[in-house]
Amino acid sequence: MKKNNKNILHKLILQTIGHEKRQQYMIPIFTIVLSLIFGLIVIALLGSNPFKAYYNLLQGSGLAPKASYAGHKGIITDFTSFLNALTPMLFAALAVLIALKAGLFNIGVSGQMLAAGFTATILIGYSDLPAVVAKPLTVLIGFIVGALAGALVGWLKHRFNINEVVSTIMFNYIFQYVISFLINTFYVDPVSRQSKNVGAAGRLTLVDMVIGDYKMDIPLGILLAAVGIAVTAFLLNKTILGFEIKAVGSSIRAAEYAGIRVGRTRVLAMMLSGGFAGLAGVTYYMGYFASIQPKVLVSTGYDAIAVALLGNSSPIGIIFSSFLITVISKGSTYMNSASGVQAEIASAITGIILLFSACGAYVRYKVDRWKDEQKQTGRLASDGRAAK
Amino acid sequence: MNTIIIDGLSFALPLFIMAIGGIYCERSGITNLAIEGLQGFGAFCGALFAVCIAQYFAGNSPIPFYLAMLFAFLGGMLFSLLHAMLCIKFKANQVISGVVINILAMALTEFMTKQINASIFGAASNKFVLGVSARLTVPVLSRIPVLGAVFTNLYPFEIVIAVIAVIAWYVLYKTRFGLHLRACGDNPHAVDAAGIEVSRVRLVAVMASGALSGLGGICFAYSISANFSSNIYSGYGYLAIAALIFGNWKIMPTLGACLLFGFARSGGYELVKVLEMPSSYQDLVMVLPYVLTLLMLIFFSKKNHSPKALGEIYDKGAR
């Protein structure tokens, strides 16, 4: 009887995530649903209404109307602010994704963001350039600094066989402390204890634009992010470099036999990855925010790992996954004030999502096994009928 | 000079015990990037227990500290089961699993610290205050010139760590189990053929790693930061990994690497103090261990040999 029950469960799971083409998005959805249920239980145990808390997340992200708004504020201002937070996340996820495709693991996105954001801040943010020149320069400097930082990691891996995970972590700390020292010594704002605010000309977000009755922040970077996603998708699917990156990521030995220069491809992939991280940096420190807090690495770089894994490391997939993760993190502040749930639960839920998505490969393997089993029992049953 | 040795040792030894855990794990063939998360979670468990029982003891009683060490040990072991499950049972990518554990540990402990503070102790705080553990000086040995500093102003945990390190060294190199463990990292198929279950040996290795990491974490919480907060995640676990790679996955050279990190750090702080530089220069000193690590990896990575089967998922059927 027990075995029968198990079979029914297998059948149910097979029907939902058994189909190979559907697996691509059914497994992430499974992951998300499981994690959200986990969050639901925790919030309920803490004595708050979990459905209200989740609705608060949507309200805080401008996806559902709040009960009341301050002057010049509305659901649309919340939404543009949400897009403002989404932009760096998209770039950071692209950075993780490109490295992953080449079989590399870039956990240094946060550090590369900081390095690029800081360089752009002191070179462009504190200059008097007109907006027309300053904005493109900010983007350019962000990309170049990030790309250099990424390429260095790739080169260390290629030349000295230093594991990129260890070296990116070391660079994270080095950037964090050196930049904190520079800010505290030269660029600190004595009141806020952060770096001095950058000028509006170089900033990638138009702040307090008056449109109709609302004052809103318009992130220009979101357009750039859309271009970035399209370029990445094109690069990976339609170009030789993209093919080489994927080949190196699948099997280094096979790629070598095929005549692909593994070292060069890896350095290039890390360079692109770093470049996107740099763009995430400038859209974060000179867009979403206008200053840098010393001694703090933003969590975006780490959340981006969750986003990339959850999005099945596909450029289209990460649009959805970064949307979800940003809703959770951006809405958590409002959830805290409206429902009294600690905002930190947002990152806990993100962590759980990450944990479940790490099991994705196992789920796929297990489902395939069940499918084979079912085929066999099905065959046995039909054989039995034929024999009768 | 004395302060450099005293502070250097109190930083190097917790690092060393975490690195030993890492050696156990990696010599058994499981990549362990999760040390950072394991030490944080272990320290969280220990700190939570210490805070809960603190009211039953006098303010200067050392008992909560020893119990905290025990619970950090157990907490780290418990959390490492997650890494073991992902790597051994679920056959997940071990690097990804390690990173996932780190992020999860950070998020969970931060959330739980705040939640427990708010709902049980009724305070809006994101840390458990522990205080610094008492220090002791060994009577006769501390009189020896220069080397005497080693026995001066010791944290009690340094003695505990030294004892555990000796045991760990003995188990890894002188016992049957240690032999099996090292064989699992180099040739798991041979171990399997000899009738020993690879996954069980690896499970024990991962758990040992978690337990020792937790121990290291609570030592940092009781010395450097004097509390448990998200500050505990400032890269000690990664430094331990760097130390064990630099130490070529062997216990004695790893001790050398840890001591080097410790003395570089305490020496740097001393320099800032002696030269009377502003405190923001401490940030530059903090960079030292990381830069050293990178440089050493550049010089030594060619000579180093990682365990042959490190990071490979053990598949009985594969040839």
Side-chain angles (χ1 to χ4, degrees), chain A residues 234-296:
Chain A
F234 179 78
L235 177 90
L236 286 174
N237 296 325
K238 304 281 176 200
T239 64
I240 297 174
L241 178 64
F243 178 77
E244 287 181 344
I245 286 177
K246 284 192 286 187
V248 170
S250 313
S251 163
I252 292 173
R253 213 168 279 172
E256 253 169 11
Y257 285 140
I260 295 170
R261 281 147 73 193
V262 174
R264 175 180 157 273
T265 312
R266 274 180 173 168
V267 174
L268 274 175
M270 269 319 280
M271 206 165 128
L272 277 173
S273 168
F276 278 125
L279 290 179
V282 287
T283 48
Y284 189 88
Y285 293 112
M286 292 185 68
Y288 187 33
F289 293 102
S291 64
I292 301 173
Q293 198 182 347
K295 268 199 192 168
V296 173

Side-chain angles (χ1 to χ4, degrees), chain A residues 160 169 173 177 180 295 342, chain B residues 115 235 238 283 286 301-302:
Chain A
F160 299 106
I169 291 165
Y173 288 112
Y177 286 119
S180 147
K295 268 199 192 168
Q342 302 290 352
Chain B
Q115 188 65 45
Y238 296 120
D283 284 345
M286 291 290 281
S301 57
K302 279 272 153 82

Side-chain angles (χ1 to χ4, degrees), chain A residues 38 42 46 100 105 107 156 159-163 165-167 169-171 173-174 177-178 180-181 184-185 295 302-303 305-306 309 336 340-345 347-352 354-356 358-359 361-362 365-366, chain B residues 31 33 36 82 85-86 89-93 95-97 99-101 103-104 107-108 110-111 114-115 118-119 126 233-236 238-239 241-242 245 280-284 286-287 289-291 293-294 297-299 301-302:
Chain A
F38 172 85
V42 172
L46 294 174
L100 264 187
F105 213 63
I107 358 187
L156 286 175
R159 179 75 178 73
F160 299 106
N161 194 25
I162 297 176
N163 191 323
V165 175
V166 177
S167 63
I169 291 165
M170 295 299 132
F171 277 120
Y173 288 112
I174 293 173
Y177 286 119
V178 170
S180 147
F181 165 74
N184 277 330
T185 320
K295 268 199 192 168
Y302 300 105
D303 291 344
I305 300 169
L309 287 179
N336 187 14
V341 181
Q342 302 290 352
E344 278 79 5
I345 198 169
S347 45
I349 292 177
T350 312
I352 300 283
L354 197 53
L355 181 71
F356 285 139
C359 306
Y362 180 72
Y365 158 83
K366 216 47 203 199
Chain B
T31 307
L33 287 174
E36 178 82 355
L82 213 56
M85 191 177 75
L86 282 173
K89 174 104 177 89
F90 285 175
K91 299 179 171 42
N93 180 323
V95 173
I96 292 183
S97 165
V99 174
V100 167
I101 302 262
I103 295 175
L104 189 65
L108 278 183
E110 211 169 317
F111 168 64
K114 224 171 163 191
Q115 188 65 45
S119 52
N126 57 0
Y233 301 102
S234 46
Y236 306 133
Y238 296 120
L239 269 183
I241 294 170
I245 294 177
S280 61
Y281 280 76
Q282 284 192 352
D283 284 345
L284 283 184
M286 291 290 281
V287 169
Y290 307 110
V291 174
T293 307
L294 268 181
L297 287 177
I298 288 174
F299 286 120
S301 57
K302 279 272 153 82

Side-chain angles (χ1 to χ4, degrees), chain A residues 94-116:
Chain A
L94 280 178
V96 175
L97 178 140
I98 289 215
L100 264 187
K101 286 283 177 193
L104 298 166
F105 213 63
N106 187 1
I107 358 187
V109 173
S110 290
Q112 290 148 10
M113 280 172 70
L114 183 62

Side-chain angles (χ1 to χ4, degrees), chain B:
Chain B
M1 186 64 197
N2 277 3
T3 27
I4 295 181
I5 293 181
I6 293 168
D7 290 350
L9 267 184
S10 68
F11 182 76
L13 286 177
L15 207 60
F16 180 47
I17 203 71
M18 297 197 296
I20 290 181
I23 291 176
Y24 264 68
C25 191
E26 302 224 326
R27 284 305 281 267
S28 82
I30 305 263
T31 307
N32 193 351
L33 287 174
I35 296 180
E36 178 82 355
L38 295 174
Q39 59 100 17
F41 196 84
F44 167 77
C45 292
L48 176 59
F49 189 74
V51 170
C52 286
I53 60 164
Q55 52 188 355
Y56 302 112
F57 293 95
N60 54 1
S61 161
I63 297 168
F65 168 63
Y66 290 109
L67 286 173
M69 275 173 94
L70 179 69
F71 272 78
F73 191 82
L74 294 175
M77 194 189 283
L78 190 76
F79 206 61
S80 69
L81 286 178
L82 213 56
H83 189 53
M85 191 177 75
L86 282 173
C87 294
I88 301 170
K89 174 104 177 89
F90 285 175
K91 299 179 171 42
N93 180 323
Q94 295 172 4
V95 173
I96 292 183
S97 165
V99 174
V100 167
I101 302 262
N102 288 341
I103 295 175
L104 189 65
M106 215 179 294
L108 278 183
T109 51
E110 211 169 317
F111 168 64
M112 288 196 287
T113 312
K114 224 171 163 191
Q115 188 65 45
I116 289 171
N117 267 327
S119 52
I120 297 181
F121 302 114
S125 157
N126 57 0
K127 58 184 163 200
F128 296 135
V129 178
L130 297 173
V132 178
S133 86
R135 294 177 172 222
L136 48 94
T137 302
V138 183
V140 183
L141 293 172
S142 58
R143 300 271 182 77
I144 306 170
V146 186
L147 272 183
V150 174
F151 302 99
T152 316
N153 277 343
L154 279 177
Y155 287 108
F157 65 69
E158 294 178 44
I159 299 166
V160 176
I161 286 174
V163 172
I164 292 180
V166 172
I167 298 172
W169 179 85
Y170 182 82
V171 170
L172 188 63
Y173 293 113
K174 300 288 173 196
T175 62
R176 282 176 75 89
F177 174 76
L179 184 67
H180 294 159
L181 190 148
R182 283 177 289 144
C184 276
D186 281 328
N187 195 339
H189 288 281
V191 177
D192 202 6
I196 293 145
E197 218 169 308
V198 174
S199 50
R200 190 171 299 163
V201 175
R202 287 186 168 177
L203 174 66
V204 174
V206 174
M207 281 166 69
S209 160
L212 295 182
S213 302
L215 191 63
I218 194 77
C219 294
F220 280 128
Y222 262 106
S223 59
I224 291 176
S225 50
N227 61 40
F228 175 85
S229 69
S230 53
N231 277 338
I232 197 93
Y233 301 102
S234 46
Y236 306 133
Y238 296 120
L239 269 183
I241 294 170
L244 78 91
I245 294 177
F246 173 49
N248 209 357
W249 287 269
K250 291 184 186 125
I251 289 183
M252 289 318 284
T254 302
L255 175 61
C258 292
L259 288 176
L260 190 74
F261 289 158
F263 293 143
R265 193 182 128 106
S266 57
Y269 273 131
E270 201 57 26
L271 200 69
V272 171
K273 230 185 278 169
V274 170
L275 298 182
E276 289 174 351
M277 292 188 273
S279 65
S280 61
Y281 280 76
Q282 284 192 352
D283 284 345
L284 283 184
V285 173
M286 291 290 281
V287 169
L288 268 178
Y290 307 110
V291 174
L292 260 177
T293 307
L294 268 181
L295 287 179
M296 288 186 172
L297 287 177
I298 288 174
F299 286 120
F300 290 93
S301 57
K302 279 272 153 82
K303 272 195 210 155
N304 276 1
H305 301 287
S306 59
K308 282 196 196 85
L310 182 63
E312 279 172 26
I313 297 158
Y314 178 61
D315 183 358
K316 261 187 185 174
R319 288 294 136 99

